[in-house]
Amino acid sequence: MSKSALVTGITGQDGSYLAELLLSKGYEVHGLVRRLGSANLDRLSHVRHDLRLIEGDLLDQASLDQAVRHSTPDEVYNLAGPSFVASSFKQPVLTGEIGGIGAVRVMEAVKAHHPDARIYQASSSEMFGGTSVSPQDEKTAFHPKTPYGIAKVYAFMAGVYYRENYGMFVSNGILYNHESPRRGPEYVTRKITMGIARIARGLQKEIELGNLDARRDWGFAPEYVDAMHLMLQRGKPDDFVIATGETHTVREFLEEACMVAGISDPASVAKVDSRLIRPADFVLLKGDASKAKEILGWTPKTRFKDLVRTMVEADLRQIDENSGKHRKG
């Protein structure tokens, strides 16, 4: 009999890649969406007919109870919630309600209706925030500096609580930044690749960016989704840092994107806007994924330059395809 999985946040970057992975392994995949009629299913268009979508909301306990009862999952992947860190400064209460308490609602639904299901809780490097320790691993103390990071710490500790007090299988994946052509346009990586692609095709002249010296540990999203799945295949639950162990600046990302697109002078197309600099823009976030390598056998394969090239070339193709459609029309 095939396994069943319930994925919250299935319409996002990670959710769409996870759906593909689980379907390829023969899972029956149920996806939670807030409103079926208005959900953006673009990332799922190629697998939509293989999925079983359920209406539900992390703010609504009854809908989560119903989703768990309906899907009877062997595995639950809680990927839902605000993922754009900058917006958490504007909506700290909502961020806490969805990212923190929403995770508890998911765990409560599983405990009440299908307690043997294994849960993956999406944690984040933002939990380390202002740490002075670098690189960070599973033993590094949390020091969140954003409402998003604070909510993620709450959800992480809730996972530990349900694991230790109720014997539930809850694993936290502490994922560092992971990108792909499916990344939303509000994220700096995609903002750069889309902007550079448009500049290369003569559709705009410059990109407005924040702190060009901010450093991040960037990986490739499909590989990080593999790690999520591996965490739930083990004999016991645990917590894992998933990262490349390398950091690069926003400036490096911009320069690499320009090189891929054939733009010789990155400085000429980037305009720094102080309004885009986050209130707490830290520079030390670099993950040590040694534990994941040793226990899960997981290592990142896509290098930084290959990641940037993949994203820029995808955006160039999208522009060219759209231009072709318009010409035909």
Side-chain angles (χ1 to χ4, degrees), residues 15 23 79 114 150 181 227 255:
L23 287 170
L79 311 184
H114 209 60
I150 293 167
E255 290 171 350

Side-chain angles (χ1 to χ4, degrees), residues 125-145 176 215 217 241 245 247 282-288:
S125 60
E126 293 280 335
M127 300 190 304
F128 298 123
T131 184
S132 59
V133 177
S134 187
Q136 302 87 38
D137 62 19
E138 294 80 5
K139 296 179 181 178
T140 303
F142 298 141
H143 189 172
K145 299 282 281 187
Y176 282 61
R215 304 187 72 90
D217 183 332
V241 164
T247 62
F282 27 83
V283 296
L284 294 170
L285 291 185
K286 178 170 73 169
D288 178 356

Side-chain angles (χ1 to χ4, degrees), residues 14-288:
D14 292 3
S16 66
Y17 283 120
L18 179 60
E20 289 177 3
L21 175 68
L22 296 175
L23 287 170
S24 74
K25 294 181 177 296
Y27 280 68
E28 179 180 283
V29 180
H30 301 258
L32 193 77
V33 295
R34 274 182 293 175
R35 289 176 295 276
L36 277 173
S38 59
N40 183 352
L41 304 178
D42 289 351
R43 294 185 180 98
L44 298 169
S45 58
H46 55 301
V47 295
R48 167 66 184 89
H49 296 296
D50 298 318
L51 302 173
R52 304 184 182 199
L53 300 182
I54 306 170
E55 285 195 349
D57 193 321
L58 264 64
L59 296 174
D60 179 7
Q61 185 68 59
S63 71
L64 297 176
D65 291 342
Q66 174 60 21
V68 171
R69 286 197 300 266
H70 176 77
S71 59
T72 59
D74 297 290
E75 298 170 8
V76 176
Y77 295 84
N78 184 32
L79 311 184
S83 58
F84 186 47
V85 177
S87 65
S88 73
F89 292 103
K90 299 176 182 177
Q91 297 180 304
V93 175
L94 182 61
T95 298
E97 273 283 352
I98 300 175
I101 298 175
V104 174
R105 292 189 184 103
V106 172
M107 294 174 203
E108 276 292 297
V110 172
K111 180 169 75 75
H113 305 290
H114 209 60
D116 291 334
R118 298 184 171 201
I119 301 173
Y120 170 83
Q121 172 57 36
S123 296
S124 168
S125 60
E126 293 280 335
M127 300 190 304
F128 298 123
T131 184
S132 59
V133 177
S134 187
Q136 302 87 38
D137 62 19
E138 294 80 5
K139 296 179 181 178
T140 303
F142 298 141
H143 189 172
K145 299 282 281 187
T146 66
Y148 175 88
I150 293 167
K152 285 296 186 182
V153 170
Y154 184 95
F156 178 98
M157 295 309 301
V160 174
Y161 169 79
Y162 278 85
R163 187 166 71 205
E164 293 181 350
N165 286 273
Y166 299 108
M168 292 172 62
F169 193 114
V170 184
S171 288
N172 291 293
I174 307 173
L175 272 57
Y176 282 61
N177 294 65
H178 45 289
E179 318 299 317
S180 77
R182 297 183 192 175
R183 196 51 137 162
E186 67 274 20
Y187 292 85
V188 67
T189 51
R190 190 78 195 289
K191 185 176 184 179
I192 290 173
T193 63
M194 289 178 68
I196 291 301
R198 288 178 57 81
I199 290 168
R201 293 296 187 258
L203 299 176
Q204 70 183 62
K205 293 184 177 180
E206 62 183 15
I207 314 170
E208 292 185 346
L209 298 170
N211 183 6
L212 295 180
D213 295 317
R215 304 187 72 90
R216 295 290 183 268
D217 183 332
W218 280 303
F220 189 40
E223 295 172 6
Y224 284 46
V225 164
D226 287 340
M228 297 177 191
H229 180 257
L230 288 170
M231 287 180 211
L232 298 196
Q233 311 314 306
R234 298 190 63 242
K236 61 180 182 178
D238 206 345
D239 308 318
F240 294 91
V241 164
I242 303 298
T244 69
E246 295 182 6
T247 62
H248 297 272
T249 63
V250 173
R251 191 186 310 277
E252 288 177 80
F253 199 106
L254 171 68
E255 290 171 350
E256 192 64 34
C258 286
M259 189 181 75
V260 173
I263 296 172
S264 59
D265 184 10
S268 68
V269 297
K271 177 183 177 182
V272 175
D273 185 342
S274 60
R275 294 173 299 177
L276 298 176
I277 297 177
R278 283 158 50 172
D281 212 346
F282 27 83
V283 296
L284 294 170
L285 291 185
K286 178 170 73 169
D288 178 356

